[in-house]
């Protein structure tokens, strides 16, 4: 990368750094470090206006998330400026090849070329469960035992016991669900028995 182009990226990164620092300061000055009760103006956290306090709590959490995200980007910008000083700016940290200018124009603090970024993301999506889970006993190990030769009470059974009383899901969150009774998996599966016939009592047989 020629010197003029490198200086253009330095100027852009310095400008972005200044904007990020201003945004972080603005969020910090909004009272994010003060107790929520004082910021909201409520006399107590336990009053008749729980919805108002809930809205304030949501806004506080959103501000913290935005500030933390800006801090992460600021660190990436500072690292990119450091790479410019060291002469390693514009090179992929994974394969060592040059990062295309189009990518640097879009993300000036990028550390990976597009191909390496896509490969890393693909590996993270297909990551298997840790092999240690097969050796660790519940409650620390995996207890959903579908597909395994086990008839014991597992995590799926526990979930079904509580899910039938309701959850945060709604029918629109589950494909094919038409009512709230359909929003958890295998709702018709017998609970506490292996086969449906095990649920029959003496009275059921006599009535038949």
């Amino acid at each position: 990368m020629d010197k003029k182009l490198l200086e253009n990226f330095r100027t852009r990164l310095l400008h972005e750094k200044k904007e990020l620092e201003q945004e972080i300061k603005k969020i910090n000055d909004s009272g994010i470090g003060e107790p929520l009760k004082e910021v909201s103006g409520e006399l107590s956290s336990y009053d008749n206006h729980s919805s108002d306090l809930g809205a304030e709590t949501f806004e506080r959490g959103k501000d913290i998330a935005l500030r933390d995200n800006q801090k992460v980007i600021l660190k990436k910008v500072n690292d990119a400026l450091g790479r410019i000083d060291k002469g390693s700016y514009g090179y992929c940290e994974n394969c060592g090849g040059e990062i295309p200018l189009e990518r640097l124009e879009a993300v000036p603090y990028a550390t990976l070329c597009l191909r390496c970024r896509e490969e890393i993301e693909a590996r993270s999506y297909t990551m298997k469960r840790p092999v240690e889970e097969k050796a660790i006993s519940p409650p620390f190990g995996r207890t959903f035992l579908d597909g395994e030769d086990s008839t014991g009470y597992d995590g799926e059974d526990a979930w079904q016991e509580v899910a039938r009383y309701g959850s945060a899901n709604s029918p629109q969150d589950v494909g094919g669900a038409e009512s709230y009774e359909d929003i958890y998996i295998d709702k018709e599966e017998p609970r506490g028995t292996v086969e449906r016939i095990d649920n029959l009592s003496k009275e059921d047989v006599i009535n038949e």
Side-chain angles (χ1 to χ4, degrees):
M1 185 181 299
D2 62 74
K3 186 176 180 180
K4 182 178 179 180
L5 192 57
L6 200 61
E7 286 302 314
N8 287 337
F9 278 114
R10 184 198 297 273
T11 301
R12 181 176 172 184
L13 286 166
L14 287 172
H15 177 72
E16 189 158 352
K17 175 182 179 180
K18 182 179 179 180
E19 288 188 342
L20 289 168
E21 290 174 341
Q22 290 175 346
E23 290 175 7
I24 293 172
K25 184 178 184 302
K26 183 179 179 180
I27 295 175
N28 286 332
D29 291 344
S30 66
I32 198 172
E34 299 177 12
L36 182 59
K37 186 172 65 176
E38 295 182 9
V39 176
S40 64
E42 298 288 345
L43 297 177
S44 172
S45 298
Y46 303 94
D47 59 10
N48 294 326
H49 305 285
S50 57
S51 58
D52 292 339
L53 191 60
E56 292 290 347
T57 303
F58 170 77
E59 291 298 330
R60 172 62 63 87
K62 185 175 68 175
D63 288 341
I64 292 174
L66 288 172
R67 183 194 62 182
D68 290 347
N69 182 66
Q70 300 297 65
K71 285 184 175 181
V72 170
I73 298 177
L74 179 60
K75 183 180 184 307
K76 292 180 179 180
V77 169
N78 286 328
D79 290 344
L81 289 169
R83 289 195 298 275
I84 290 178
D85 294 334
K86 295 177 182 178
S88 58
Y89 180 79
Y91 293 92
C92 178
E93 291 184 347
N94 186 53
C95 67
E98 289 189 12
I99 300 176
L101 288 178
E102 294 83 359
R103 177 162 171 77
L104 290 175
E105 287 288 347
V107 188
Y109 46 81
T111 60
L112 299 170
C113 64
L114 185 59
R115 181 175 61 83
C116 288
R117 168 59 67 185
E118 290 177 344
E119 289 178 356
I120 291 174
E121 290 180 351
R123 287 200 300 269
S124 65
Y125 291 148
T126 58
M127 189 177 297
K128 297 181 179 179
R129 301 295 304 180
V131 294
E132 291 83 1
E133 285 188 347
K134 295 183 178 180
I136 301 176
S137 300
F140 303 105
R142 189 168 176 82
T143 60
F144 280 69
L145 305 177
D146 276 4
E148 299 186 18
D149 187 17
S150 173
T151 58
Y153 190 89
D154 61 8
E156 182 192 23
D157 296 313
W159 165 246
Q160 289 171 338
E161 289 287 351
V162 298
R164 60 195 177 112
Y165 294 104
S167 71
N169 290 334
S170 61
Q172 67 181 10
D173 299 319
V174 181
E178 297 180 358
S179 69
Y180 279 90
E181 294 182 354
D182 301 329
I183 61 175
Y184 64 95
I185 301 172
D186 295 334
K187 71 181 184 68
E188 299 295 340
E189 183 178 277
R191 291 184 295 274
T193 59
V194 178
E195 301 291 343
R196 292 187 181 275
I197 193 172
D198 296 331
N199 270 330
L200 294 176
S201 65
K202 183 178 180 181
E203 288 75 14
D204 292 328
V205 176
I206 293 175
N207 292 334
E208 288 293 329

